Amino acid sequence: MNSMPIYKQIYDDLVELIENGNYQPNEQIPSEKDLCGQYKVSRITAKKALDLLASEGYIERKPGKGSFVKSQQPVKKSEDTSSSKRMIACILTEFCHFGNEMLHVIESEVSGRGDHLILKTTHGKTELEKQYIEDLMDEADGFIIMPVQNQYFNEEILKLVVRKVPLILVDRILKGIPTVSVCTNNVTSTDKLISLLIDQGKKRIGIITPDEKSTTSVEDRITGYENALLKNNLVPDKKLKLTNIMSTIPQNDTEKNIVNDLQNIKQYLLKNKGKMDAIFAAEYNILLLVEQALQELSDEMLNSIELVCYDAPDSKFYPKHQYTHIHQNEKKIGSIAVEKLYEMFGEPIPPQEILVDGNLILKDHENIKQEF
């Protein structure tokens, strides 16, 4: 199946008709409405094809009258329409504690190539993700997508793969789908974080995560946690695992779920009182829930527990970290995603998982330390 965007297919068809003399100089060619009916596409797609013909010098667009073949044609057809600007669709779940730096790099590098970036945020809603992909399927030259956290992937992503539309997934790996994915090496990064706690004398380490089947990122962080314990001759204790947090998943961030999560965390803390030296929160928002639960319980023994997480924010006004954490290398993820997407415009590249190590940021009242 042709992986070329439909607007470029329409462009190619019209160029061939013009160059073969089917449309003579100064003759009117089909309108946007005619093309919509002929190719079963949106008005935007038809307009983009005609705009590209005009920019390449094949036609002249006259407002209110239509599009007409120019009397003097380009020397030859542009083989790859490289002079036209590409449209890149970037569909992210959100950009809060994770995503800002990555988005900045993606926008900067796409714009630096003279192309356009369309940004959509799904807020964790599968129906929005499907809608955005459907709306942009025929318009965008390529996609960079952070899929919604869900046990099941969106079938519209599979359609992109089947149609061979250039596609890069970020921060997620969809098992069984032959795509290029760029994300943090969550297994080794979490192993590094937990191993540090163990080296500091913490032997009883709890873990709190969303549903472990929600994304491969969560699964891999749990795996990294267990690997670190096992290689240090510590047996993972199921009683120290809480893996059903709901409210930190964007589409589930209701007041009811927040209250339920807080209650579950309080019960977890009280049940394991005196049995934990540290807690690994798989996400920063989970750590904030743990903080609130500890504050409401107001127990001195519980407050001695060390908390670590992923992606604790920093501030240029107060560049000190209260928590040891893994900072995902968003800039590198974004840069690789753009690089691989543009490689796909030249020729197909094999499915692959590109893993980027996170940075270990140590809690420090004086400065920030990083281990790479």
Side-chain angles (χ1 to χ4, degrees):
M1 185 175 291
N2 196 340
S3 63
M4 185 183 298
I6 288 183
Y7 81 90
K8 285 188 177 176
Q9 295 177 32
I10 298 172
Y11 164 89
D12 279 345
D13 289 348
L14 290 172
V15 167
E16 184 175 355
L17 290 170
I18 291 170
E19 292 186 338
N20 289 341
N22 296 73
Y23 293 114
Q24 294 294 314
N26 302 314
E27 183 179 351
Q28 187 173 5
I29 67 171
S31 66
E32 291 176 10
K33 184 178 179 180
D34 294 334
L35 293 174
C36 289
Q38 180 181 346
Y39 288 90
K40 310 299 182 188
V41 296
S42 69
R43 194 71 174 258
I44 296 174
T45 300
K47 180 180 184 301
K48 193 170 182 184
L50 294 175
D51 286 345
L52 182 55
L53 278 169
S55 69
E56 291 286 316
Y58 286 99
I59 65 171
E60 180 182 2
R61 306 206 68 190
K62 298 179 180 180
K65 295 183 179 181
S67 301
F68 299 83
V69 178
K70 280 190 170 183
S71 56
Q72 184 174 352
Q73 291 294 303
V75 174
K76 63 177 181 178
K77 173 185 171 182
S78 172
E79 294 297 328
D80 59 5
T81 65
S82 59
S83 63
S84 64
K85 294 181 182 295
R86 289 189 175 95
M87 182 188 295
I88 309 301
C90 182
I91 303 175
L92 303 182
T93 304
E94 58 179 351
F95 40 97
C96 186
H97 304 301
F98 175 84
N100 273 326
E101 293 180 346
M102 180 178 68
L103 176 60
H104 176 78
V105 168
I106 291 172
E107 193 283 328
S108 177
E109 296 202 4
V110 169
S111 296
R113 287 171 163 85
D115 293 332
H116 297 300
L117 184 75
I118 297 178
L119 173 64
K120 297 289 184 180
T121 52
T122 64
H123 307 289
K125 297 178 180 178
T126 302
E127 61 271 21
L128 277 180
E129 184 177 83
K130 291 177 65 175
Q131 178 189 325
Y132 293 148
I133 295 174
E134 287 174 357
D135 290 347
L136 295 167
M137 183 87 73
D138 296 333
E139 322 299 335
D141 298 276
F143 286 78
I144 296 174
I145 300 178
M146 180 196 297
V148 168
Q149 294 188 49
N150 201 311
Q151 189 171 353
Y152 306 101
F153 65 86
N154 173 4
E155 64 271 19
E156 292 301 316
I157 293 178
L158 182 57
K159 288 182 183 178
L160 291 174
V161 174
V162 171
R163 290 180 57 171
K164 298 182 180 179
V165 177
L167 166 67
I168 304 292
L169 301 183
V170 292
D171 196 45
R172 305 279 192 272
I173 295 171
L174 298 183
K175 295 179 179 178
I177 304 299
T179 58
V180 176
S181 300
V182 188
C183 59
T184 297
N185 192 332
N186 288 285
V187 174
T188 60
S189 298
T190 304
D191 185 322
K192 186 189 302 183
L193 178 61
I194 302 303
S195 294
L196 174 68
L197 290 175
I198 295 171
D199 290 343
Q200 292 174 343
K202 308 289 194 283
K203 305 296 183 184
R204 300 167 297 176
I205 303 169
I207 179 172
I208 305 180
T209 76
D211 183 342
E212 58 186 300
K213 294 182 180 179
S214 60
T215 66
T216 53
S217 298
V218 174
E219 291 181 22
D220 288 347
R221 290 176 193 183
I222 293 173
T223 298
Y225 161 83
E226 293 175 344
N227 287 352
L229 294 177
L230 291 170
K231 77 179 186 181
N232 285 279
N233 300 315
L234 299 173
V235 179
D237 187 344
K238 290 184 178 180
K239 295 178 182 178
L240 299 185
K241 292 178 67 176
L242 180 62
T243 58
N244 63 351
I245 298 301
M246 294 287 293
S247 61
T248 60
I249 297 175
Q251 72 269 29
N252 296 329
D253 56 352
T254 63
E255 188 63 33
K256 180 180 178 181
N257 283 337
I258 292 172
V259 171
N260 288 341
D261 284 343
L262 274 172
Q263 187 60 32
N264 287 336
I265 290 172
K266 286 180 185 178
Q267 292 175 358
Y268 166 85
L269 291 169
L270 292 173
K271 188 184 299 183
N272 292 294
K273 181 178 177 180
K275 300 176 184 178
M276 289 189 296
D277 305 312
I279 294 174
F280 164 51
E283 300 171 355
Y284 179 66
N285 283 335
I286 293 178
L287 184 142
L288 294 180
L289 288 172
V290 176
E291 261 196 336
Q292 184 174 340
L294 289 169
Q295 184 177 4
E296 292 178 8
L297 290 172
S298 188
D299 186 292
E300 186 174 340
M301 182 178 290
L302 289 173
N303 283 324
S304 66
I305 295 173
E306 176 88 7
L307 302 180
V308 299
C309 65
Y310 264 68
D311 299 319
D314 62 356
S315 168
K316 65 178 67 176
F317 303 107
Y318 187 74
K320 302 174 184 178
H321 288 278
Q322 186 177 357
Y323 300 102
T324 294
H325 66 277
I326 293 294
H327 178 77
Q328 300 185 78
N329 196 336
E330 297 181 43
K331 293 181 179 179
K332 188 171 182 179
I333 291 173
S335 182
I336 293 174
V338 174
E339 177 188 343
K340 290 297 177 181
L341 185 68
Y342 277 82
E343 282 184 27
M344 286 182 171
F345 293 140
E347 59 183 22
I349 62 176
Q352 54 193 282
E353 298 172 6
I354 302 171
L355 301 179
V356 178
D357 285 340
N359 296 329
L360 178 61
I361 309 297
L362 305 183
K363 177 176 67 174
D364 196 315
H365 295 294
E366 298 298 330
N367 51 54
I368 302 172
K369 298 177 181 177
Q370 294 186 349
E371 294 182 6
F372 297 90

